[in-house]
Amino acid sequence: MTEEIEFILESAEESMEGSIGHLEKEFLNIRAGKASPAMVGSVFVDYYGSSTPLNQVAKISTPDARTITLQPFEKNMLQTIEKAIMIANLGFNPMNNGDVIIISVPPLTEDRRRELAKQAKAEAEDAKIGIRNARKDANTDIKKLEKDGTSEDICKSAEEEVQNLTNAYIKKIDELLVAKEAEIMKV
């Protein structure tokens, strides 16, 4: 295979890998009833005039499956952190005991579980669209090479390789989705 085709295949694979990475990150934001530090990962706190991620102003831990505790590095940040969690609209009600902020994660209702499963499906579909776009771009580049004189056999085998990559990554997305749905629906 020519260098150009290898480059096209590597670019396609890199793009597909990026779609998987993005999907995994999105799945972390979909809570499955079990407390996780990632649940407050999107919260930003006003720290002396600059917007700072919560994990840079407080230690986040999960002592059990239903509780998240936040230990601010500076005590005077307690109210600011509490306010930031309320503004983030995560559906949590933080409690402040003077030293730490405690967030009780409520159990999910059956309807909410179905809603989260739908959200996970939508994210998986977006990732599949990313994979298909990478395939389309790679095939377009291969067609250009064919027009520029690269042999038809080499181009056909490259297109098959792109399709094999696409199938493998779509299968990976389906596996991730099945695992996430099982996690969401488990009571």
Side-chain angles (χ1 to χ4, degrees), residues 13-158:
E13 188 168 8
E14 198 174 295
S15 178
M16 291 176 185
E17 199 60 56
S19 291
I20 296 280
H22 179 74
L23 178 66
E24 288 171 337
K25 193 173 160 194
E26 289 301 316
F27 275 0
L28 282 177
N29 292 334
I30 299 174
R31 74 183 185 101
K34 198 173 99 179
S36 151
M39 291 177 167
V40 290
S42 62
V43 177
F44 280 81
V45 178
D46 179 32
Y47 185 67
Y48 299 110
S50 68
S51 187
T52 310
L54 180 59
N55 63 359
Q56 292 181 14
V57 295
K59 178 181 170 234
I60 305 169
S61 59
T62 50
D64 61 56
R66 294 260 173 253
T67 312
I68 300 172
T69 58
L70 306 164
Q71 173 86 50
F73 298 135
E74 297 177 30
K75 247 193 184 152
N76 63 342
M77 293 299 294
L78 279 168
Q79 275 77 30
T80 311
I81 291 172
E82 230 176 336
K83 194 169 113 186
I85 292 168
M86 297 299 270
I87 290 171
N89 198 15
L90 300 172
F92 296 137
N93 192 13
M95 294 175 289
N96 172 350
N97 72 3
D99 290 326
V100 294
I101 295 170
I102 301 164
I103 299 172
S104 292
V105 179
L108 296 171
T109 63
E110 188 63 30
D111 287 343
R112 183 69 179 135
R113 287 180 192 280
R114 284 196 191 101
E115 205 177 292
L116 290 172
K118 276 184 191 172
Q119 187 182 346
K121 253 186 197 129
E123 291 296 344
E125 199 49 49
D126 287 347
K128 286 180 181 180
I129 289 169
I131 301 285
R132 291 185 194 114
N133 284 338
R135 174 184 62 189
K136 188 183 91 184
D137 293 344
N139 284 338
T140 302
D141 291 344
I142 291 168
K143 293 264 190 256
K144 280 181 193 166
L145 285 178
E146 193 173 346
K147 281 182 184 169
D148 292 343
T150 305
S151 97
E152 197 176 316
D153 291 344
I154 291 174
C155 290
K156 281 285 177 234
S157 71

